Amino acid sequence: MEPSLSAGDFYLLEDEWTAEQRGVAERVRAFIDAEVMPYAGEWHERAVFPRELIPRIAGLDLLDRLAHNAIDPISYGLAMRELERGSSALRSLMSVQGGLVIFPIMAFGSDEQKARWLGPLGRLDAIGCFALTEPAFGSNPAGMTTRAERVPGGFRIHGHKRWATNGTIAQVAVVWAKWDGKVCGFLIETDRRGFQPRPIHNKWSFRASESSELILENVEVPESALLPGAQSLGAAIACLNQARYSIVWGVVGAAAACIEETLAYLKARPQFDGKPLAGHQLIQHRFAWMTAELTGMQLLAKRLGDLKAAGRLKAAQVSLAKMNNCRKAIEIARACRELLGANGIVNDYHVGRRMLDLETVITYEGTEHIHALVVGQELTGLKAFS
Ligand SMILES: Cc1cc2nc3c(=O)[nH]c(=O)nc-3n(C[C@H](O)[C@H](O)[C@H](O)COP(=O)(O)OP(=O)(O)OC[C@H]3O[C@@H](n4cnc5c(N)ncnc54)[C@H](O)[C@@H]3O)c2cc1C
């Protein structure tokens, strides 16, 4: 008899991966099962980021390969999927380090910046953060008030950034500031005088992630801090598109894990005449709906990976996938939360934590509305942002 199809791979997509891609996914999954799943609820509850895990994440060899252009987009995506199966905060550490710090150095950095930073960042010996958002400018970063001005031998940067992930543990920050009216990227060591990171507390989402405010009070940096190729907002957006790609895959992992956990729970919970809840019609309808949505998310992620590998990926395609996959993932997580009943609100189960973290994921790297406007502009040729 043929084995039953599972919600996580209803259309046998796993058959599509090469042995190498499958190997990456299996390695990350084994790491998540052993090192993350037993503790993730506690990190969330205590609102701590597991810094001690950083060397072991480095051992997965994902970012080092990224920094050397030695990992294909599908392998990278599968790794993100497995990481976010464990924790959105952990996947975010990798997305920031990979897409928002390593990528800008590779794409826009000088030879000196590449030689100084790519090795340590790839090995996670150095942590980086990305500071674009400001207290008054999130969806519209073009309005930023952070300024850079020329001083002898370099620049002086003054401004206030907010929500920089890993800002409090970073050794280097990719800071976006206006210089001569243009948005420019600067690579700033965080021990510079005037650079003040402050943790953001009181979060009920992304509790296990280091979110920070960055005050830059007349921070002086040498000429060599400017990322020479990053002298427009388009450069910052190109970085965001890398990180959005990893979100598209990551939320597939979060949604699949919610479905798996909920299905196991409902199969083992008899109610009404001793029949497991999973055997009731309304519940099966929800699972069929969630599996259809998850399958759509997976196919979109795969197609995005194929287009990326072929060098044909357009920003609007990333936007559509980010918008769609985050919305579907959060709907699945909310449905699973309900299906777990009262147990859905305790950290003995992972669904509640995942659902709360997805509130961040649907907001950062461009909200759903902003991505809809990007897609709308692509379709109509008309800009509707303002
Ligand atoms: C945990 C966390 C981590 C983050 N990490 C980083 C990071 O590492 N680096 C970084 O730079 N930033 C980071 N961010 C910031 C994030 O990218 C911004 O919060 C996001 O871009 C939205 O900006 P905002 O919060 O200012 O919302 P706003 O721009 O104020 O938007 C508020 C609402 O209005 C809607 N809206 C805005 N403009 C329009 C429009 N034109 N039409 C219709 N609706 C509109 C939005 O969709 C949203 O629903 C992080 C955020 C969080 C929560």
Side-chain angles (χ1 to χ4, degrees):
M1 201 172 81
E2 274 198 71
S4 299
L5 299 168
S6 72
D9 191 23
F10 209 74
Y11 279 81
L12 311 178
L13 258 183
E14 298 295 316
D15 293 357
E16 300 282 308
W17 317 135
T18 63
E20 154 139 27
Q21 290 162 347
R22 213 168 292 137
V24 170
E26 280 165 9
R27 203 151 38 86
V28 180
R29 179 174 280 240
F31 167 80
I32 290 294
D33 284 342
E35 312 257 1
V36 174
M37 293 312 289
Y39 316 106
E42 187 197 328
W43 298 329
H44 172 79
E45 215 162 306
R46 289 177 38 224
V48 292
F49 172 73
R51 294 185 194 189
E52 66 283 1
L53 214 59
I54 289 176
R56 300 213 281 285
I57 300 172
L60 293 172
D61 199 26
L62 297 169
L63 293 174
D64 211 25
R65 288 176 66 191
L66 187 75
H68 292 94
N69 261 329
I71 187 162
D72 70 273
I74 297 281
S75 293
Y76 189 69
L78 288 168
M80 296 299 124
R81 183 190 76 182
E82 295 306 321
L83 284 170
E84 195 146 351
R85 207 172 60 78
S87 153
S88 294
L90 211 57
R91 195 270 308 141
S92 220
L93 167 89
M94 302 294 266
S95 296
V96 170
Q97 184 91 352
L100 300 179
V101 183
I102 289 177
F103 172 79
I105 297 173
M106 287 172 78
F108 310 121
S110 64
D111 289 343
E112 184 195 332
Q113 288 165 337
K114 289 178 191 169
R116 164 78 183 85
W117 288 109
L118 287 181
L121 287 165
R123 294 189 299 275
L124 285 153
D125 289 339
I127 298 291
C129 70
F130 179 88
L132 179 67
T133 304
E134 298 187 355
F137 295 98
S139 300
N140 175 26
M144 71 174 63
T145 58
T146 300
R147 293 282 181 276
E149 59 174 343
R150 273 244 180 247
V151 291
F155 298 91
R156 183 188 295 133
I157 301 177
H158 192 78
H160 184 173
K161 296 289 179 181
R162 188 164 160 82
W163 290 114
T165 299
N166 299 335
T168 39
I169 58 169
Q171 285 75 46
V172 64
V174 175
V175 175
W176 299 88
K178 276 190 185 160
W179 170 45
D180 257 0
K182 283 183 301 189
V183 173
C184 295
F186 294 87
L187 210 51
I188 304 183
E189 285 160 6
T190 56
D191 58 3
R192 290 257 151 202
R193 190 203 300 259
F195 190 100
Q196 302 160 46
R198 295 181 188 160
I200 298 175
H201 296 299
N202 297 336
K203 292 178 296 174
W204 54 254
S205 177
F206 261 49
R207 287 171 59 76
S209 174
E210 304 263 355
S211 310
S212 346
E213 202 132 15
L214 302 178
I215 314 293
L216 291 105
E217 205 176 322
N218 293 318
V219 178
E220 294 205 359
V221 295
E223 186 102 24
S224 59
L226 178 70
L227 283 164
Q231 302 200 25
S232 71
L233 188 59
I237 290 172
C239 303
L240 291 172
N241 275 331
Q242 301 299 316
R244 289 164 183 165
Y245 175 78
S246 61
I247 292 174
V248 169
W249 281 91
V251 296
V252 168
C258 285
I259 297 175
E260 272 167 30
E261 186 175 30
T262 307
L263 190 55
Y265 179 85
L266 294 177
K267 276 174 147 177
R269 186 168 172 84
Q271 294 287 306
F272 297 101
D273 301 329
K275 185 162 123 182
L277 277 168
H280 291 256
Q281 288 184 351
L282 288 177
I283 287 183
Q284 291 196 359
H285 176 242
R286 309 278 337 240
F287 277 106
W289 166 79
M290 291 192 290
T291 302
E293 297 295 22
L294 178 64
T295 302
M297 292 163 66
Q298 291 168 333
L299 290 167
L300 209 47
K302 180 187 182 305
R303 181 64 185 151
L304 214 58
D306 290 341
L307 288 172
K308 190 167 167 57
R312 292 179 57 208
L313 194 54
K314 289 187 75 171
Q317 292 167 323
V318 182
S319 280
L320 187 132
K322 200 273 181 183
M323 175 185 83
N324 180 77
N325 281 16
C326 289
R327 170 56 58 192
K328 299 305 182 193
I330 207 165
E331 283 175 1
I332 288 171
R334 287 172 183 162
C336 287
R337 211 296 307 146
E338 264 183 79
L339 288 170
L340 287 179
N343 282 329
I345 74 151
V346 289
N347 279 329
D348 302 351
Y349 296 87
H350 297 280
V351 167
R353 165 177 71 79
R354 291 200 175 99
M355 181 188 77
L356 295 177
D357 281 349
L358 285 167
E359 293 287 350
T360 287
V361 183
I362 200 170
T363 296
Y364 72 3
E365 316 273 355
T367 65
E368 183 173 10
H369 306 129
I370 293 304
H371 289 297
L373 294 175
V374 173
V375 174
Q377 183 180 354
E378 183 75 23
L379 294 174
T380 64
L382 301 169
K383 235 178 166 171
F385 291 84
S386 52

